[in-house]
């Protein structure tokens, strides 16, 4: 049974737009969330012992933050960093107006796939038109923000979830579609096959309202067990 102090820590603590929601704003929040998780679910204790310290990995919301996640999706960390370096060289600062100012030849030299280049252009146009404020979106309740972001062509649930976690500081998101997270959950709980998205999402409900810290835990566990860092690359 949880102590009253642990129960209090497990409850959503901060407010935005009149709704309760836990937000991560510093390493202390990650550390607090982990302690609450270990009290909520003792099965996580041996996982935490293997995983080691959990990173904060928190950037700023905006075009650059979401663009970096789009660039990083489904390619190696090394390839993503190379593309991002070329984008920085071409623009100095990655933002929507500078991206739109690049001509077709310059964009083609960045190493982006056609789909990602189109996604970034649509995103930049939507931001520049005033139809989307990515900073404001990062501070919306998760369901509302997810609906807003995934309405854009080329932005799926994983991209939106990672943006809200690492640019918005949302503490209660678990990207169940992430292959490494699914593999880590399956290994940690000795499942015979890699669990599907629905199964992992169901399992993760036990870790509310600190599912983003649980995701950090399982990414760290995956890295410790496999030797491969699957945590989305930092901007």
């Amino acid at each position: 049974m949880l102590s009253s102090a642990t129960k209090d820590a497990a409850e959503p603590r901060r407010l935005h737009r009149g709704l309760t929601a836990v937000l991560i704003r510093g390493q202390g929040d990650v550390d607090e969330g982990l302690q609450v998780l270990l009290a909520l679910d003792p099965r996580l204790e041996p996982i935490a012992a293997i995983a080691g310290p959990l990173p904060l990995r928190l950037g700023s919301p905006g075009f650059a933050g979401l663009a970096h996640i789009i660039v990083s999706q489904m390619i190696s960390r090394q390839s993503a960093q190379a593309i991002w370096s070329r984008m920085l060289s071409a623009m100095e600062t990655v933002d929507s107006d500078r991206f739109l100012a690049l001509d077709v030849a310059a964009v083609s030299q960045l190493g982006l796939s056609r789909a990602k280049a189109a996604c970034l252009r649509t995103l930049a146009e939507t931001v520049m038109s005033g139809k989307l404020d990515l900073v404001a979106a990062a501070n919306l309740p998760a369901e509302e923000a997810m609906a807003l972001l995934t309405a854009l062509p080329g932005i799926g649930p994983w991209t939106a979830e990672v943006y809200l976690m690492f640019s918005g500081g949302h503490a209660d998101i678990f990207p169940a579609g992430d292959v490494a997270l699914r593999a880590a959950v399956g290994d940690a709980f000795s499942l015979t096959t890699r669990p599907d998205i629905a199964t992992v999402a169901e399992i993760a409900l036990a870790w509310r309202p600190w599912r983003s810290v649980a995701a950090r835990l399982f990414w760290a566990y995956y890295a410790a067990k496999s030797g491969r860092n699957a945590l989305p690359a930092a901007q």
Side-chain angles (χ1 to χ4, degrees):
M1 181 177 294
L2 297 180
S3 68
S4 59
T6 303
K7 287 179 180 178
D8 289 342
E11 291 300 315
R13 301 171 298 121
R14 302 178 178 90
L15 296 173
H16 57 88
R17 291 192 55 174
L19 301 175
T20 56
V22 180
L23 297 174
I24 291 174
R25 289 294 180 254
Q27 186 64 46
D29 293 318
V30 174
D31 297 340
E32 176 189 343
L34 178 60
Q35 293 307 308
V36 174
L37 287 171
L38 297 180
L40 288 171
D41 190 348
R43 297 176 303 167
L44 299 179
E45 291 180 4
I47 298 168
I50 293 171
L54 304 186
L56 171 62
R57 191 61 64 85
L58 187 64
S60 300
F63 179 82
L66 184 52
H68 191 272
I69 295 165
I70 292 168
V71 167
S72 301
Q73 186 177 15
M74 297 182 69
I75 61 174
S76 71
R77 184 179 293 259
Q78 183 178 4
S79 296
Q81 289 302 96
I83 293 171
W84 192 252
S85 293
R86 288 192 287 271
M87 291 177 68
L88 288 173
S89 295
M91 290 179 269
E92 294 186 4
T93 300
V94 177
D95 56 30
S96 54
D97 56 341
R98 295 189 187 204
F99 185 83
L100 290 175
L102 296 177
D103 59 27
V104 174
V107 173
S108 70
Q109 295 299 312
L110 298 176
L112 294 163
S113 68
R114 185 175 299 178
K116 287 184 179 180
C119 177
L120 289 175
R121 178 163 294 278
T122 299
L123 175 63
E125 290 171 345
T126 306
V127 169
M128 288 297 293
S129 71
K131 295 178 181 177
L132 176 63
D133 182 335
L134 286 171
V135 176
N139 290 311
L140 291 173
E143 288 187 5
E144 187 176 344
M146 286 289 296
L148 186 65
L149 294 170
T150 57
L152 296 170
I155 296 181
W158 183 90
T159 302
E161 288 165 342
V162 171
Y163 176 72
L164 294 179
M165 285 178 66
F166 294 118
S167 292
H170 284 244
D172 195 30
I173 291 175
F174 196 95
D178 188 276
V179 174
L181 285 183
R182 289 164 53 204
V185 169
D187 180 82
F189 295 148
S190 301
L191 303 180
T192 55
T193 59
R194 179 184 297 169
D196 60 24
I197 294 173
T199 299
V200 171
E202 181 69 23
I203 291 171
L205 290 175
W207 306 322
R208 298 179 71 182
W210 290 104
R211 285 179 291 179
S212 295
V213 176
R216 285 172 169 82
L217 173 63
F218 280 96
W219 269 315
Y221 173 83
Y222 179 88
K225 294 280 285 188
S226 70
R228 298 191 298 273
N229 187 355
L231 185 72
Q235 181 187 330

